[in-house]
Amino acid sequence: MIAVLMALISKEGRPYAGIEIHKLPVALQQVLNELPRNIVIAHRGTTYWAPEETEAAMRWARDVGADYLEFDLQRTRDGVLIALHDVNLRRTTDIAEVFPERADAPVSAFTLDELRQLDAGSWFNETYPDRAKKEFVGQDILTLEDVIRIAEGYRIVRDEQGRRIYEWGTDGKKYTRYEKDPQDSGNRPGIYPETKEPHLFPGMEQDLREELERLGWYHIQPGKMKKIEVPQGGVGIANTIARVILQTFSAHSLVELEKAFPRRIPTCFLLWLGNEPSDLKENTPKAYAAKINYAVAHGAVIIGPSIAGSPNDYADLLAPWQGEMIYRAGLAIHPYSFDTEEQMAEYTGWKNRCPQEGRVDGMFTNKADMTIQFYQQTLMSAYFKSNAALGIPDNIQRNKALFHGYRDMSE
Ligand code: G3P
Ligand code: CA
């Protein structure tokens, strides 16, 4: 890769004057061109309406019209990639009752069968009684395959108690059964998996590639990926070349993803202000530019900065000068995570009615319904970036049939 170094134009008031930013190489510009814009990324499915990263959260996100299902990948002791955010199971399951001696053990200490014994939904009802639903009781932990099958319009086959019904493969292993989802609203979102705590799961990037290949969601020749039927008028990202976006906070994992995916697919380098090895240690132009340059050097085409605002009150890593710096490097911006209209208005530039200030190409959102509504009703067309090269209409959000809140998924 020939890095083109670009000295930023020195302008009064710009804190990064004189700091070098590397420009995205041509090969990666092609990957970026394939990325849909104005995308609604369902953060953990939804953290607001349903227990995060469960089937209830993912089916809801698909049906409400999210463009991507976001989740965090970890690996079980028997080598299965599963969706879970925290480093242990205490907050989001009943592990303290089921395996009390191992309640703080990492995910890698458990087999998939053991994890399947956990209730990953009841905690939500107890924590948020105003949003509690009977159907959340007994929600279980999902695998990568489960999330993909939900994106394809399926649901998990369960008995009357909500337990999975398995079938046995010729390899002697048991497999979850899936069926066409009667609640399916016809949307086929992409997926946006994050390598979570990748230092605990060496080789997970290769495992991810292999599993995506097995399921037809990655192939060295994109034309050989699984063809996914998209009903008329639905979200159709699952059937595009950009059906998978990769993400990581880890500098090491970014390099491993680059090696594991020789056909480059959109990859997001996440930013967090902190003191862990991969964190942004100080929020200065020099340190921020170093992160962008690292991303460009290792195959990322998107930067994922944290944003300010309640309820999370994360560090604001997307001030106007930071957004401009990323765009000067030629990358897209997917900030995390949106909970309010105020945040969306701020980071799209709508708050100041200033399209050139917009610093968002997609939003990790905890309420996909709220974000779709914002795109449909508040954000004017001047703020949309063109999807014409993809054959995707510019205002795809406007065509969605939206429902608000949580829709009961049980039959
Ligand atoms: O992946 C974007 C965002 O999910 C990062 O934050 O902690 O929710 O994984 P976290
Ligand atoms: Ca995540």
Side-chain angles (χ1 to χ4, degrees):
M1 181 194 82
I2 301 168
V4 179
L5 300 181
M6 188 180 73
L8 292 176
I9 301 159
S10 179
K11 263 196 179 175
E12 225 173 84
R14 284 186 173 165
Y16 46 78
I19 293 173
E20 284 181 337
I21 297 285
H22 299 194
K23 194 115 178 90
L24 199 67
V26 173
L28 288 177
Q29 283 170 18
Q30 179 55 35
V31 176
L32 189 62
N33 288 343
E34 292 160 356
L35 184 74
R37 304 300 165 100
N38 315 314
I39 57 175
V40 175
I41 307 156
H43 185 233
R44 309 184 202 173
T46 171
T47 64
Y48 187 81
W49 291 112
E52 63 188 55
E53 313 211 7
T54 63
E55 186 179 23
M58 295 299 172
R59 287 170 73 204
W60 176 86
R62 176 199 65 199
D63 289 347
V64 82
D67 298 300
Y68 285 88
L69 306 179
E70 194 270 348
F71 55 104
D72 303 285
L73 278 179
Q74 300 193 54
R75 192 173 59 202
T76 64
R77 197 171 85 205
D78 47 343
V80 182
L81 290 174
I82 57 130
L84 192 87
H85 180 270
D86 293 7
V87 72
N88 66 43
L89 297 131
R90 195 181 269 285
R91 179 178 64 90
T92 58
T93 76
D94 59 349
I95 194 156
E97 283 94 65
V98 181
F99 300 111
E101 299 82 27
R102 300 158 72 195
D104 293 313
V107 168
S108 58
F110 297 88
T111 64
L112 182 61
D113 270 351
E114 287 175 327
L115 293 182
R116 286 269 162 80
Q117 295 170 41
L118 302 176
D119 176 345
S122 291
W123 72 274
F124 182 90
N125 288 352
E126 288 152 22
T127 311
Y128 306 110
D130 53 321
R131 280 169 259 153
K133 302 272 175 208
K134 254 199 327 220
E135 68 185 274
F136 296 160
V137 175
Q139 288 284 317
D140 58 11
I141 289 175
L142 299 181
T143 62
L144 167 62
E145 178 174 14
D146 292 335
V147 180
I148 285 180
R149 300 294 276 168
I150 291 166
E152 291 176 348
Y154 293 86
R155 71 173 181 181
I156 296 164
V157 179
R158 298 180 185 275
D159 65 16
E160 282 181 0
Q161 280 72 47
R163 292 178 301 229
R164 291 179 187 231
I165 295 176
Y166 294 101
E167 58 195 10
W168 295 91
T170 48
D171 55 4
K173 291 186 188 158
K174 72 178 181 190
Y175 289 91
T176 291
R177 279 177 56 194
Y178 304 94
E179 63 187 357
K180 283 279 178 199
D181 192 338
Q183 300 278 356
D184 170 34
S185 60
N187 296 315
R188 300 290 177 265
I191 63 164
Y192 206 137
E194 177 191 339
T195 56
K196 193 56 118 191
E197 310 292 347
H199 59 285
L200 298 176
F201 309 104
M204 77 185 307
E205 296 83 2
Q206 290 286 341
D207 294 349
L208 173 58
R209 202 227 23 247
E210 284 168 24
E211 186 66 346
L212 291 174
E213 280 175 334
R214 184 180 77 82
L215 296 165
W217 277 57
Y218 179 80
H219 196 285
I220 196 78
Q221 295 173 259
K224 292 193 173 168
M225 287 193 291
K226 182 176 183 179
K227 184 128 192 65
I228 292 161
E229 202 79 12
V230 181
Q232 183 78 16
V235 171
I237 288 174
N239 201 43
T240 70
I241 195 171
R243 66 184 67 185
V244 180
I245 305 179
L246 307 169
Q247 51 163 338
T248 188
F249 283 103
S250 160
H252 179 71
S253 191
L254 190 67
V255 172
E256 293 303 311
L257 288 170
E258 194 181 15
K259 285 190 221 156
F261 289 85
R263 175 175 70 77
R264 300 300 301 139
I265 59 177
T267 303
C268 175
F269 192 39
L270 298 161
L271 302 185
W272 177 256
L273 189 64
N275 291 315
E276 296 299 317
S278 284
D279 291 346
L280 179 70
K281 305 291 185 309
E282 47 178 16
N283 195 6
T284 61
K286 200 171 164 199
Y288 200 87
K291 282 286 180 192
I292 296 173
N293 290 342
Y294 187 87
V296 165
H298 295 291
V301 299
I302 308 157
I303 295 288
S306 61
I307 58 163
S310 67
N312 290 322
D313 293 316
Y314 292 156
D316 182 4
L317 297 184
L318 192 54
W321 65 268
Q322 291 165 314
E324 194 175 337
M325 216 184 230
I326 299 169
Y327 281 138
R328 279 175 178 264
L331 286 81
I333 304 177
H334 292 172
Y336 70 93
S337 39
F338 289 86
D339 291 278
T340 64
E341 290 189 16
E342 291 69 32
Q343 289 172 312
M344 294 188 291
E346 170 67 33
Y347 288 99
T348 57
W350 179 246
K351 185 175 172 188
N352 302 315
R353 307 288 172 109
C354 185
Q356 63 273 25
E357 285 285 308
R359 287 159 269 147
V360 166
D361 297 291
M363 302 189 221
F364 289 96
T365 174
N366 290 314
K367 301 171 186 164
D369 52 343
M370 171 194 76
T371 303
I372 294 167
Q373 187 178 35
F374 180 78
Y375 273 118
Q376 289 181 336
Q377 294 176 5
T378 305
L379 202 61
M380 296 295 104
S381 56
Y383 291 77
F384 288 97
K385 297 182 181 72
S386 176
N387 281 312
L390 291 168
I392 296 172
D394 282 348
N395 294 343
I396 50 176
Q397 306 301 341
R398 291 180 190 279
N399 300 332
K400 290 174 181 171
L402 181 67
F403 63 86
H404 296 279
Y406 191 78
R407 193 174 65 178
D408 196 343
M409 305 291 279
S410 56
E411 276 193 308

